[in-house]
Amino acid sequence: MRIDIVSIFPEYFAPLEVSLLGKARRNGLLDVHLHDLREWAHDRHRTVDDTPYGGGPGMVMKPEPWGEALDTLAPAGGEVPRLVVPTPSGRPFTQALATRYAAEPRLLFACGRYEGIDSRVVEEARTRMPVDEVSLGDFVLAGGEVAVLVMVEAVGRLLPGVLGNADSVADDSFAPGAMESLLEGPVYTKPPVWRERPIPDILLSGHHGAIARWRRDEALRRTARNRPELLARLDPDALDAHDRKVLAEAGFPVRGEDMAH
Ligand code: JD8
């Protein structure tokens, strides 16, 4: 996969040189190209913003540099990228969307700043490439760079060969089919007792079935406690009687054949 990122702060993306994604880039699994939007601003001050039409606070990113950047990075006749534009007004970025993006040959991320990018840029881009306006969540950042870092990691780790054999995306929370989008349960490692706190005995039992059952119970309880709205996504047919007992004890009874109708 090729990823192009356009920003007025390309240095924001230094983290993409380390750890998992840095290794993936060195191994040729991921091809990331950073671009400074000011390359396409030709006045003496390399201006990329101006005052908003209709008044109001702040500045808006000018369309001309963005238009020329997209002309350069997505030229007619070349492999057409999917343009991803982070914005608080976008549709939610989810694991499902990350999975779809991981199947794309090219992604082109446009990092806005100030009050955002002149809306004609997305409007014009839609005439020549697929465009997604995407939001990380209901909070406000100062620009799109942090959102793109998050999305590139969420997508990059899904690419074949990026995660080692020991790590599997199939067990991720929110991965399709993996425990039906339950949250992760608690994890522990050595020492067996830390500041007088032992680990759950079951994890030392060697009974793999019982351990799997305990982990699922803890995932159900944590999901009920922290993200009860996810319980509605659970396929009732995928819940066994013990699952329903745990959920009922957590205050979320789920109808099943073992319950009186
Ligand atoms: C892109 C400019 C700042 C936004 C005036 C604050 C995503 N979940 C998210 N929260 N915030 C963003 C985001 C914020 C951005 C830009 C993404 C470009 N800003 C603006 C409008 C109000 N300032 C985001 N994904």
Side-chain angles (χ1 to χ4, degrees), residues 57 59 61 85-91 93 110-117 133-148 151:
M59 303 291 274
M61 299 193 96
V85 184
T87 169
S89 56
R91 64 178 177 149
F93 180 72
C111 300
R113 277 273 154 174
Y114 310 105
E115 297 303 307
I117 301 171
E133 294 180 279
V134 176
S135 170
L136 282 199
D138 296 335
F139 47 84
V140 183
L141 301 169
E145 285 80 7
V146 166
V148 170
M151 289 191 270

Side-chain angles (χ1 to χ4, degrees), residues 189-212:
T189 187
K190 304 179 190 61
V193 179
W194 175 70
R195 294 188 181 180
E196 299 176 14
R197 296 174 185 277
I199 64 165
D201 290 338
I202 189 72
L203 298 180
L204 299 174
S205 69
H207 296 307
H208 299 297
I211 290 170

Side-chain angles (χ1 to χ4, degrees), residues 114-192:
Y114 310 105
E115 297 303 307
I117 301 171
D118 183 302
S119 295
R120 292 169 292 181
V121 172
V122 162
E123 180 188 313
E124 191 272 343
R126 290 191 194 281
T127 67
R128 51 195 173 117
M129 67 190 84
V131 181
D132 288 346
E133 294 180 279
V134 176
S135 170
L136 282 199
D138 296 335
F139 47 84
V140 183
L141 301 169
E145 285 80 7
V146 166
V148 170
L149 271 174
V150 168
M151 289 191 270
V152 169
E153 175 158 319
V155 172
R157 66 186 292 276
L158 297 175
L159 298 176
V162 172
L163 284 184
N165 293 333
D167 304 298
S168 165
V169 295
D171 298 332
D172 281 350
S173 292
F174 306 103
M179 294 180 66
E180 311 97 351
S181 295
L182 292 179
L183 300 183
E184 307 295 339
V187 291
Y188 303 89
T189 187
K190 304 179 190 61

